[in-house]
Protein backbone atom coordinates (compact mmCIF):
# COMPACT_ATOMS: atom_id res chain seq x y z
CA UNK A 1 0.00 0.00 0.00
CA UNK A 2 1.45 3.40 -0.98
CA UNK A 3 2.17 6.10 1.62
CA UNK A 4 -0.40 8.40 -0.02
CA UNK A 5 -3.06 5.67 0.09
CA UNK A 6 -2.29 4.97 3.74
CA UNK A 7 -2.65 8.67 4.53
CA UNK A 8 -6.02 8.89 2.79
CA UNK A 9 -7.27 5.78 4.60
CA UNK A 10 -6.08 7.15 7.96
CA UNK A 11 -8.01 10.37 7.31
CA UNK A 12 -11.20 8.39 6.63
CA UNK A 13 -10.68 6.15 9.67
CA UNK A 14 -10.40 9.17 11.95
CA UNK A 15 -13.50 10.89 10.56
CA UNK A 16 -17.02 9.38 10.91
CA UNK A 17 -18.29 11.97 8.42
CA UNK A 18 -15.77 10.83 5.81
CA UNK A 19 -16.75 7.23 6.48
CA UNK A 20 -20.40 8.04 5.76
CA UNK A 21 -19.39 9.90 2.60
CA UNK A 22 -17.26 6.95 1.44
CA UNK A 23 -20.10 4.55 2.19
CA UNK A 24 -22.44 6.54 -0.08
CA UNK A 25 -19.75 6.86 -2.76
CA UNK A 26 -19.16 3.11 -2.65
CA UNK A 27 -22.86 2.33 -3.01
CA UNK A 28 -23.09 4.62 -6.06
CA UNK A 29 -19.99 3.03 -7.60
CA UNK A 30 -21.35 -0.47 -7.06
CA UNK A 31 -24.69 0.57 -8.55
CA UNK A 32 -23.02 1.90 -11.71
CA UNK A 33 -20.95 -1.24 -12.12
CA UNK A 34 -23.96 -3.49 -11.60
CA UNK A 35 -25.93 -1.83 -14.39
CA UNK A 36 -23.16 -2.82 -16.80
CA UNK A 37 -22.49 -6.15 -15.10
CA UNK A 38 -26.13 -7.19 -15.29
CA UNK A 39 -26.14 -6.83 -19.07
CA UNK A 40 -22.99 -8.95 -19.24
CA UNK A 41 -24.23 -11.89 -17.21
CA UNK A 42 -27.53 -12.09 -19.12
CA UNK A 43 -25.85 -13.26 -22.34
CA UNK A 44 -24.69 -16.61 -21.02
CA UNK A 45 -27.94 -17.61 -19.34
CA UNK A 46 -30.08 -16.56 -22.31
CA UNK A 47 -28.27 -18.08 -25.29
CA UNK A 48 -25.33 -20.10 -23.92
CA UNK A 49 -27.22 -23.41 -23.99
CA UNK A 50 -28.78 -22.62 -27.38
CA UNK A 51 -25.36 -21.80 -28.85
CA UNK A 52 -23.86 -25.15 -27.82
CA UNK A 53 -27.00 -27.01 -28.85
CA UNK A 54 -26.77 -25.37 -32.27
CA UNK A 55 -23.09 -26.26 -32.69
CA UNK A 56 -23.36 -29.89 -31.45
CA UNK A 57 -26.94 -30.71 -32.42
CA UNK A 58 -27.88 -32.37 -29.11
CA UNK A 59 -29.68 -31.44 -25.89
CA UNK A 60 -27.74 -33.74 -23.57
CA UNK A 61 -24.81 -31.31 -23.34
CA UNK A 62 -26.90 -28.14 -23.32
CA UNK A 63 -26.13 -27.67 -19.62
CA UNK A 64 -22.37 -27.53 -20.28
CA UNK A 65 -22.19 -23.75 -20.98
CA UNK A 66 -23.77 -22.96 -17.62
CA UNK A 67 -21.52 -25.51 -15.94
CA UNK A 68 -18.44 -24.01 -17.58
CA UNK A 69 -19.06 -20.37 -16.81
CA UNK A 70 -20.12 -21.22 -13.27
CA UNK A 71 -16.89 -23.23 -12.83
CA UNK A 72 -14.99 -20.23 -14.17
CA UNK A 73 -16.98 -18.20 -11.70
CA UNK A 74 -15.87 -20.55 -8.89
CA UNK A 75 -12.18 -20.08 -9.65
CA UNK A 76 -12.64 -16.32 -9.96
CA UNK A 77 -14.59 -16.11 -6.70
CA UNK A 78 -11.69 -17.78 -4.90
CA UNK A 79 -9.04 -15.58 -6.54
CA UNK A 80 -10.99 -12.32 -6.19
CA UNK A 81 -11.74 -13.09 -2.53
CA UNK A 82 -8.09 -13.78 -1.71
CA UNK A 83 -6.83 -10.84 -3.76
CA UNK A 84 -9.39 -8.44 -2.29
CA UNK A 85 -8.54 -9.50 1.26
CA UNK A 86 -4.95 -8.40 0.69
CA UNK A 87 -5.26 -5.55 -1.83
CA UNK A 88 -8.85 -4.33 -1.48
CA UNK A 89 -12.08 -4.56 -3.48
CA UNK A 90 -11.07 -2.10 -6.21
CA UNK A 91 -8.37 -4.09 -7.96
CA UNK A 92 -10.00 -7.46 -7.31
CA UNK A 93 -13.39 -6.52 -8.75
CA UNK A 94 -11.98 -4.54 -11.68
CA UNK A 95 -9.74 -7.46 -12.71
CA UNK A 96 -12.56 -9.99 -12.52
CA UNK A 97 -14.88 -7.94 -14.72
CA UNK A 98 -12.25 -7.19 -17.35
CA UNK A 99 -11.19 -10.85 -17.57
CA UNK A 100 -14.86 -11.80 -17.99
CA UNK A 101 -15.14 -9.25 -20.81
CA UNK A 102 -12.22 -10.82 -22.67
CA UNK A 103 -13.84 -14.21 -22.16
CA UNK A 104 -16.99 -12.94 -23.88
CA UNK A 105 -14.89 -11.72 -26.82
CA UNK A 106 -13.37 -15.20 -26.98
CA UNK A 107 -16.84 -16.79 -27.09
CA UNK A 108 -17.74 -14.65 -30.11
CA UNK A 109 -14.52 -15.56 -31.94
CA UNK A 110 -14.97 -19.26 -31.13
CA UNK A 111 -18.51 -19.24 -32.51
CA UNK A 112 -17.24 -17.50 -35.64
CA UNK A 113 -14.55 -20.18 -36.06
CA UNK A 114 -17.06 -22.94 -35.14
CA UNK A 115 -14.51 -24.34 -32.69
CA UNK A 116 -16.37 -26.01 -29.82
CA UNK A 117 -13.22 -26.55 -27.73
CA UNK A 118 -12.27 -22.89 -27.82
CA UNK A 119 -15.90 -22.04 -27.06
CA UNK A 120 -15.80 -24.15 -23.92
CA UNK A 121 -12.51 -22.55 -22.83
CA UNK A 122 -13.79 -19.01 -23.30
CA UNK A 123 -17.13 -19.78 -21.62
CA UNK A 124 -15.04 -20.79 -18.61
CA UNK A 125 -13.17 -17.46 -18.74
CA UNK A 126 -16.43 -15.56 -19.31
CA UNK A 127 -17.54 -16.94 -15.93
CA UNK A 128 -15.15 -14.51 -14.26
CA UNK A 129 -17.67 -11.76 -14.90
CA UNK A 130 -20.49 -13.73 -13.30
CA UNK A 131 -18.51 -14.27 -10.10
CA UNK A 132 -17.34 -10.68 -9.96
CA UNK A 133 -20.87 -9.40 -10.47
CA UNK A 134 -21.96 -11.34 -7.38
CA UNK A 135 -18.86 -10.43 -5.35
CA UNK A 136 -19.55 -6.75 -6.00
CA UNK A 137 -22.55 -6.92 -3.65
CA UNK A 138 -20.15 -7.31 -0.74
CA UNK A 139 -18.34 -4.04 -1.48
CA UNK A 140 -21.37 -2.03 -0.44
CA UNK A 141 -21.51 -3.76 2.94
CA UNK A 142 -17.92 -3.16 4.09
CA UNK A 143 -18.79 0.10 5.86
CA UNK A 144 -22.46 -0.68 6.58
CA UNK A 145 -23.84 -0.89 10.12
CA UNK A 146 -25.19 -4.33 11.21
CA UNK A 147 -28.80 -3.17 10.70
CA UNK A 148 -27.95 -1.92 7.17
CA UNK A 149 -26.13 -4.98 5.85
CA UNK A 150 -28.93 -6.71 3.95
CA UNK A 151 -30.16 -3.39 2.56
CA UNK A 152 -26.63 -2.45 1.45
CA UNK A 153 -26.13 -5.81 -0.30
CA UNK A 154 -29.52 -5.51 -1.96
CA UNK A 155 -28.87 -2.00 -3.30
CA UNK A 156 -26.26 -3.39 -5.67
CA UNK A 157 -28.58 -6.15 -6.85
CA UNK A 158 -31.51 -3.82 -7.49
CA UNK A 159 -29.56 -1.96 -10.13
CA UNK A 160 -28.29 -5.15 -11.72
CA UNK A 161 -31.88 -5.41 -12.93
CA UNK A 162 -31.50 -2.65 -15.52
CA UNK A 163 -28.75 -4.41 -17.43
CA UNK A 164 -29.92 -7.93 -16.68
CA UNK A 165 -33.43 -7.33 -18.05
CA UNK A 166 -32.21 -5.33 -21.03
CA UNK A 167 -29.70 -8.05 -22.01
CA UNK A 168 -32.14 -10.91 -22.77
CA UNK A 169 -34.54 -8.53 -24.50
CA UNK A 170 -31.74 -7.38 -26.79
CA UNK A 171 -31.12 -10.94 -27.99
CA UNK A 172 -32.73 -10.39 -31.38
CA UNK A 173 -31.13 -6.95 -31.89
CA UNK A 174 -27.63 -8.11 -30.95
CA UNK A 175 -28.19 -11.30 -32.94
CA UNK A 176 -29.15 -9.33 -36.06
CA UNK A 177 -26.14 -7.07 -35.63
CA UNK A 178 -23.85 -10.10 -35.29
CA UNK A 179 -25.37 -11.61 -38.42
CA UNK A 180 -24.61 -8.47 -40.44
CA UNK A 181 -20.90 -8.67 -39.51
CA UNK A 182 -20.60 -12.37 -40.23
CA UNK A 183 -20.89 -13.72 -36.68
CA UNK A 184 -23.40 -16.46 -35.71
CA UNK A 185 -26.62 -14.89 -34.52
CA UNK A 186 -26.59 -16.68 -31.15
CA UNK A 187 -23.15 -15.22 -30.37
CA UNK A 188 -24.50 -11.66 -30.68
CA UNK A 189 -25.41 -11.21 -26.98
CA UNK A 190 -21.81 -11.97 -26.05
CA UNK A 191 -20.73 -8.83 -27.93
CA UNK A 192 -22.89 -6.86 -25.50
CA UNK A 193 -21.44 -8.88 -22.60
CA UNK A 194 -17.87 -8.03 -23.60
CA UNK A 195 -18.51 -4.29 -23.64
CA UNK A 196 -20.61 -4.41 -20.46
CA UNK A 197 -18.12 -6.35 -18.34
CA UNK A 198 -15.15 -4.23 -19.41
CA UNK A 199 -17.09 -1.04 -18.65
CA UNK A 200 -18.01 -2.39 -15.19
CA UNK A 201 -14.33 -3.06 -14.51
CA UNK A 202 -13.37 0.46 -15.56
CA UNK A 203 -16.01 1.91 -13.22
CA UNK A 204 -14.38 0.18 -10.27
CA UNK A 205 -10.88 1.20 -11.31
CA UNK A 206 -11.82 4.86 -11.56
CA UNK A 207 -14.30 5.32 -8.71
CA UNK A 208 -13.61 2.91 -5.84
CA UNK A 209 -11.12 5.16 -4.04
CA UNK A 210 -10.30 4.91 -1.19
CA UNK A 211 -11.00 1.21 -1.00
CA UNK A 212 -13.89 0.51 1.44
CA UNK A 213 -12.56 -2.89 2.54
CA UNK A 214 -9.12 -1.48 3.35
CA UNK A 215 -10.81 1.29 5.32
CA UNK A 216 -12.98 -1.25 7.20
CA UNK A 217 -9.86 -3.28 8.01
CA UNK A 218 -8.07 -0.17 9.26
CA UNK A 219 -11.05 0.71 11.48
CA UNK A 220 -11.04 -2.82 12.95
CA UNK A 221 -7.30 -2.67 13.62
CA UNK A 222 -7.58 0.73 15.24
CA UNK A 223 -10.33 -0.37 17.61
CA UNK A 224 -8.12 -2.98 19.24
CA UNK A 225 -4.44 -3.91 19.30
CA UNK A 226 -3.36 -6.31 16.54
CA UNK A 227 -2.84 -9.19 19.00
CA UNK A 228 -6.24 -8.71 20.64
CA UNK A 229 -7.92 -8.35 17.25
CA UNK A 230 -6.47 -11.67 16.11
CA UNK A 231 -7.71 -13.31 19.31
CA UNK A 232 -11.18 -11.79 18.94
CA UNK A 233 -11.22 -12.76 15.27
CA UNK A 234 -10.41 -16.38 16.13
CA UNK A 235 -13.05 -16.55 18.87
CA UNK A 236 -15.64 -14.87 16.64
CA UNK A 237 -14.93 -17.29 13.80
CA UNK A 238 -15.41 -20.31 16.11
CA UNK A 239 -18.63 -18.96 17.66
CA UNK A 240 -20.09 -17.95 14.33
CA UNK A 241 -19.37 -21.15 12.42
CA UNK A 242 -23.06 -22.26 12.48
CA UNK A 243 -24.10 -18.86 11.07
CA UNK A 244 -21.46 -18.96 8.33
CA UNK A 245 -22.33 -22.58 7.45
CA UNK A 246 -26.05 -21.80 7.26
CA UNK A 247 -25.40 -18.80 5.02
CA UNK A 248 -23.26 -20.97 2.73
CA UNK A 249 -25.88 -23.74 2.52
CA UNK A 250 -28.66 -21.26 1.76
CA UNK A 251 -26.73 -19.70 -1.13
CA UNK A 252 -25.52 -23.04 -2.52
CA UNK A 253 -28.94 -24.72 -2.50
CA UNK A 254 -30.75 -21.73 -4.00
CA UNK A 255 -28.07 -21.50 -6.71
CA UNK A 256 -28.39 -25.19 -7.62
CA UNK A 257 -32.19 -25.00 -7.88
CA UNK A 258 -32.21 -21.74 -9.84
CA UNK A 259 -29.46 -22.70 -12.30
CA UNK A 260 -30.91 -26.15 -12.99
CA UNK A 261 -34.38 -24.92 -13.96
CA UNK A 262 -33.21 -21.74 -15.68
CA UNK A 263 -30.63 -23.50 -17.86
CA UNK A 264 -33.07 -25.85 -19.52
CA UNK A 265 -36.00 -23.45 -19.87
CA UNK A 266 -34.79 -21.97 -23.22
CA UNK A 267 -34.38 -25.51 -24.62
CA UNK A 268 -37.81 -26.52 -23.27
CA UNK A 269 -39.38 -23.46 -24.86
CA UNK A 270 -37.81 -23.93 -28.30
CA UNK A 271 -39.01 -27.56 -28.29
CA UNK A 272 -42.54 -26.24 -27.83
CA UNK A 273 -42.30 -23.78 -30.71
CA UNK A 274 -41.53 -20.54 -28.83
CA UNK A 275 -39.55 -17.95 -30.81
CA UNK A 276 -36.21 -16.57 -29.65
CA UNK A 277 -37.95 -13.30 -28.69
CA UNK A 278 -40.26 -15.21 -26.32
CA UNK A 279 -37.28 -16.97 -24.79
CA UNK A 280 -35.66 -13.58 -24.23
CA UNK A 281 -38.85 -12.28 -22.62
CA UNK A 282 -39.12 -15.18 -20.16
CA UNK A 283 -35.44 -15.06 -19.23
CA UNK A 284 -35.57 -11.26 -18.98
CA UNK A 285 -38.47 -11.43 -16.53
CA UNK A 286 -36.68 -14.21 -14.64
CA UNK A 287 -33.47 -12.19 -14.32
CA UNK A 288 -35.47 -9.11 -13.36
CA UNK A 289 -37.14 -11.16 -10.64
CA UNK A 290 -33.72 -12.25 -9.42
CA UNK A 291 -32.60 -8.68 -8.82
CA UNK A 292 -35.48 -6.16 -8.80
CA UNK A 293 -37.05 -7.32 -5.50
CA UNK A 294 -33.68 -6.88 -3.78
CA UNK A 295 -34.37 -3.58 -2.06
CA UNK A 296 -37.56 -4.89 -0.48
CA UNK A 297 -35.87 -8.20 0.33
CA UNK A 298 -32.97 -6.39 2.01
CA UNK A 299 -35.34 -4.41 4.20
CA UNK A 300 -37.27 -7.58 5.10
CA UNK A 301 -34.08 -9.43 5.99
CA UNK A 302 -32.98 -6.54 8.22
CA UNK A 303 -36.41 -6.03 9.81
CA UNK A 304 -38.07 -9.46 10.18
CA UNK A 305 -34.93 -11.57 10.29
CA UNK A 306 -32.62 -13.78 8.27
CA UNK A 307 -34.28 -17.07 9.26
CA UNK A 308 -37.80 -16.17 8.14
CA UNK A 309 -36.48 -15.14 4.73
CA UNK A 310 -34.59 -18.44 4.42
CA UNK A 311 -37.91 -20.25 4.88
CA UNK A 312 -39.53 -17.89 2.34
CA UNK A 313 -36.79 -18.80 -0.16
CA UNK A 314 -37.45 -22.54 0.22
CA UNK A 315 -41.21 -22.21 -0.18
CA UNK A 316 -40.99 -19.85 -3.18
CA UNK A 317 -38.50 -22.08 -5.02
CA UNK A 318 -40.70 -25.13 -4.44
CA UNK A 319 -43.80 -23.38 -5.81
CA UNK A 320 -41.77 -22.32 -8.86
CA UNK A 321 -40.68 -25.92 -9.50
CA UNK A 322 -44.27 -27.11 -9.06
CA UNK A 323 -45.63 -24.65 -11.64
CA UNK A 324 -42.81 -25.39 -14.10
CA UNK A 325 -43.58 -29.12 -13.75
CA UNK A 326 -47.28 -28.98 -14.47
CA UNK A 327 -47.57 -25.90 -16.74
CA UNK A 328 -48.16 -26.64 -20.43
CA UNK A 329 -44.95 -26.17 -22.43
CA UNK A 330 -46.85 -24.04 -24.91
CA UNK A 331 -48.06 -21.58 -22.25
CA UNK A 332 -45.90 -18.48 -22.22
CA UNK A 333 -47.88 -17.07 -19.29
CA UNK A 334 -47.23 -19.98 -16.91
CA UNK A 335 -43.58 -20.19 -17.89
CA UNK A 336 -43.24 -16.50 -17.03
CA UNK A 337 -44.88 -17.10 -13.62
CA UNK A 338 -42.66 -20.11 -12.88
CA UNK A 339 -39.43 -18.36 -13.87
CA UNK A 340 -40.42 -15.15 -12.05
CA UNK A 341 -40.96 -17.10 -8.82
CA UNK A 342 -37.68 -18.94 -9.43
CA UNK A 343 -35.91 -15.57 -9.56
CA UNK A 344 -37.68 -14.27 -6.43
CA UNK A 345 -36.85 -17.42 -4.44
CA UNK A 346 -33.20 -17.14 -5.46
CA UNK A 347 -33.24 -13.48 -4.44
CA UNK A 348 -34.59 -14.33 -0.97
CA UNK A 349 -31.93 -17.00 -0.54
CA UNK A 350 -28.99 -15.01 -1.84
CA UNK A 351 -29.63 -11.88 0.23
CA UNK A 352 -30.46 -13.73 3.47
CA UNK A 353 -27.45 -16.02 2.94
CA UNK A 354 -25.16 -13.11 2.11
CA UNK A 355 -26.24 -11.27 5.25
CA UNK A 356 -25.61 -14.33 7.40
CA UNK A 357 -22.06 -14.54 6.03
CA UNK A 358 -21.46 -10.85 6.79
CA UNK A 359 -22.89 -11.32 10.29
CA UNK A 360 -20.53 -14.21 10.94
CA UNK A 361 -17.28 -12.58 9.78
CA UNK A 362 -15.08 -9.58 10.61
CA UNK A 363 -13.37 -7.17 8.16
CA UNK A 364 -10.02 -8.89 8.77
CA UNK A 365 -11.22 -12.19 7.24
CA UNK A 366 -14.44 -11.25 5.47
CA UNK A 367 -13.35 -11.03 1.81
CA UNK A 368 -11.40 -14.30 2.00
CA UNK A 369 -14.35 -16.11 3.58
CA UNK A 370 -16.82 -14.58 1.11
CA UNK A 371 -14.65 -15.66 -1.81
CA UNK A 372 -14.31 -19.20 -0.50
CA UNK A 373 -18.06 -19.56 0.00
CA UNK A 374 -18.81 -18.13 -3.44
CA UNK A 375 -16.57 -20.89 -4.85
CA UNK A 376 -18.97 -23.49 -3.47
CA UNK A 377 -21.96 -21.47 -4.65
CA UNK A 378 -20.50 -21.50 -8.15
CA UNK A 379 -19.66 -25.22 -7.99
CA UNK A 380 -23.23 -25.89 -6.88
CA UNK A 381 -24.50 -23.87 -9.83
CA UNK A 382 -22.14 -25.71 -12.20
CA UNK A 383 -23.42 -29.06 -10.92
CA UNK A 384 -27.01 -27.95 -11.36
CA UNK A 385 -26.32 -26.72 -14.87
CA UNK A 386 -24.44 -29.84 -15.97
CA UNK A 387 -26.95 -32.30 -14.50
CA UNK A 388 -29.98 -30.40 -15.81
CA UNK A 389 -29.26 -31.38 -19.42
CA UNK A 390 -28.72 -35.02 -18.49
CA UNK A 391 -31.97 -35.17 -16.49
CA UNK A 392 -34.02 -33.58 -19.26
CA UNK A 393 -32.44 -35.77 -21.96
CA UNK A 394 -33.09 -38.95 -19.95
CA UNK A 395 -36.50 -37.95 -18.54
CA UNK A 396 -38.21 -34.56 -18.98
CA UNK A 397 -38.17 -30.87 -18.09
CA UNK A 398 -41.01 -31.54 -15.65
CA UNK A 399 -38.92 -34.11 -13.78
CA UNK A 400 -36.06 -31.65 -13.53
CA UNK A 401 -38.34 -28.89 -12.21
CA UNK A 402 -40.02 -30.98 -9.50
CA UNK A 403 -36.75 -32.51 -8.30
CA UNK A 404 -35.14 -29.06 -8.12
CA UNK A 405 -38.17 -27.70 -6.26
CA UNK A 406 -38.00 -30.48 -3.68
CA UNK A 407 -34.27 -29.90 -3.14
CA UNK A 408 -35.08 -26.39 -1.92
CA UNK A 409 -36.64 -27.87 1.25
CA UNK A 410 -33.15 -28.86 2.39
CA UNK A 411 -33.00 -25.28 3.72
CA UNK A 412 -35.54 -26.00 6.49
CA UNK A 413 -33.58 -28.73 8.35
CA UNK A 414 -30.35 -26.77 7.73
CA UNK A 415 -31.92 -23.78 9.49
CA UNK A 416 -33.15 -25.89 12.43
CA UNK A 417 -29.77 -27.60 12.87
CA UNK A 418 -28.01 -24.24 12.77
CA UNK A 419 -30.27 -22.84 15.51
CA UNK A 420 -29.72 -25.97 17.62
CA UNK A 421 -25.95 -25.74 17.19
CA UNK A 422 -25.96 -22.03 18.13
CA UNK A 423 -27.90 -22.77 21.32
CA UNK A 424 -25.49 -25.57 22.28
CA UNK A 425 -22.47 -23.29 21.72
Amino acid sequence: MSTLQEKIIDEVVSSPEKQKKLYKQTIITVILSQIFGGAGLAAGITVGALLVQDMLGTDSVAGIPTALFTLGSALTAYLVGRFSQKHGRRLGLASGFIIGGFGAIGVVLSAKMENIYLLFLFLFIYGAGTATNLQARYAGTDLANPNQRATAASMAMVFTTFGAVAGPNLVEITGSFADTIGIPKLAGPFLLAAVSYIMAGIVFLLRLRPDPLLVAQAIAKKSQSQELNQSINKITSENNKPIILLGAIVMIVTQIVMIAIMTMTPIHMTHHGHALGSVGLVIGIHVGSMYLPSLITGILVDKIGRNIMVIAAAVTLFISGLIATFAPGTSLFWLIIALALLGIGWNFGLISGTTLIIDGTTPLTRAKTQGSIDVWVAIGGASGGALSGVIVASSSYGTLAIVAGLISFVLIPALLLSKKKSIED
Side-chain angles (χ1 to χ4, degrees):
M1 192 186 301
S2 69
T3 305
L4 177 60
Q5 188 179 14
E6 288 177 347
K7 183 180 178 182
I8 294 171
I9 288 175
D10 287 342
E11 288 176 357
V12 176
V13 170
S14 61
S15 171
E17 283 302 314
K18 287 186 177 180
Q19 290 173 31
K20 289 179 183 178
K21 184 178 179 181
L22 178 59
Y23 172 68
K24 291 177 182 178
Q25 177 185 316
T26 301
I27 292 291
I28 293 170
T29 300
V30 171
I31 285 170
L32 289 173
S33 75
Q34 293 297 91
I35 293 172
F36 289 114
L41 69 88
I45 62 178
T46 307
V47 298
L50 295 174
L51 182 59
V52 170
Q53 181 202 37
D54 184 63
M55 291 178 71
L56 294 180
T58 177
D59 291 352
S60 62
V61 294
I64 287 181
T66 305
L68 284 169
F69 66 69
T70 47
L71 281 173
S73 144
L75 176 61
T76 305
Y78 178 83
L79 295 175
V80 169
R82 291 299 190 277
F83 191 83
S84 297
Q85 187 68 53
K86 188 173 182 180
H87 301 286
R89 303 282 188 193
R90 175 176 164 266
L91 293 178
L93 295 174
S95 300
F97 270 129
I98 291 170
I99 290 169
F102 281 110
I105 292 171
V107 169
V108 173
L109 294 176
S110 303
K112 169 72 174 174
M113 297 163 61
E114 297 185 351
N115 188 317
I116 194 68
Y117 300 106
L118 277 179
L119 179 68
F120 287 163
L121 171 64
F122 283 112
L123 279 168
F124 180 82
I125 296 172
Y126 163 79
T130 307
T132 309
N133 199 70
L134 273 178
Q135 287 258 320
R137 75 193 186 278
Y138 290 121
T141 68
D142 288 328
L143 295 173
N145 296 323
N147 61 353
Q148 293 177 313
R149 287 168 176 168
T151 305
S154 66
M155 283 291 288
M157 295 177 63
V158 168
F159 285 87
T160 304
T161 310
F162 292 97
V165 173
N169 287 291
L170 292 173
V171 165
E172 290 190 339
I173 295 172
T174 54
S176 298
F177 174 74
D179 195 40
T180 61
I181 59 175
I183 293 170
K185 193 172 182 181
L186 287 171
F190 285 95
L191 290 171
L192 175 63
V195 174
S196 299
Y197 277 160
I198 291 171
M199 287 299 295
I202 290 171
V203 166
F204 275 121
L205 276 177
L206 296 179
R207 286 188 50 88
L208 206 63
R209 298 172 182 267
D211 193 287
L213 180 59
L214 297 181
V215 171
Q217 290 173 348
I219 292 170
K221 288 175 182 177
K222 184 181 178 182
S223 65
Q224 301 286 344
S225 67
Q226 183 64 39
E227 292 78 16
L228 183 57
N229 232 339
Q230 288 174 348
S231 175
I232 288 171
N233 186 57
K234 184 177 180 180
I235 293 169
T236 302
S237 297
E238 290 298 318
N239 291 346
N240 289 345
K241 273 185 178 179
I243 298 174
I244 295 171
L245 182 60
L246 176 62
I249 290 171
V250 170
M251 291 195 288
I252 291 167
V253 170
T254 52
Q255 186 80 350
I256 290 171
V257 173
M258 187 275 291
I259 290 286
I261 297 176
M262 176 201 68
T263 296
M264 295 310 296
T265 297
I267 304 294
H268 175 66
M269 291 182 68
T270 54
H271 282 172
H272 285 85
H274 294 281
L276 196 57
S278 296
V279 173
L281 175 64
V282 170
I283 296 300
I285 291 172
H286 164 67
V287 175
S289 300
M290 288 169 62
Y291 294 99
L292 191 57
S294 295
L295 189 55
I296 295 172
T297 304
I299 293 170
L300 290 173
V301 171
D302 281 333
K303 297 295 184 184
I304 68 174
R306 284 65 161 145
N307 295 345
I308 292 176
M309 294 307 294
V310 169
I311 296 170
V315 172
T316 307
L317 289 170
F318 174 70
I319 294 172
S320 166
L322 206 62
I323 294 173
T325 300
F326 295 106
T330 54
S331 173
L332 184 63
F333 172 79
W334 284 112
L335 285 170
I336 287 173
I337 297 298
L339 269 290
L341 288 173
L342 183 68
I344 293 169
W346 177 87
N347 180 272
F348 289 169
L350 187 77
I351 293 179
S352 57
T354 295
T355 310
L356 286 166
I357 299 302
I358 298 166
D359 289 344
T361 55
T362 69
L364 299 179
T365 59
R366 185 165 292 153
K368 184 171 67 174
T369 304
Q370 290 163 343
S372 297
I373 290 170
D374 275 4
V375 168
W376 291 105
V377 173
I379 290 173
S383 302
L387 291 173
S388 64
V390 176
I391 292 172
V392 171
S394 60
S395 183
S396 67
Y397 175 79
T399 299
L400 169 70
I402 195 64
V403 168
L406 289 170
I407 288 172
S408 66
F409 278 120
V410 169
L411 299 181
I412 309 297
L415 175 60
L416 295 175
L417 285 172
S418 175
K419 290 179 72 174
K420 182 181 178 183
K421 181 66 176 174
S422 297
I423 292 170
E424 289 174 353
D425 292 343

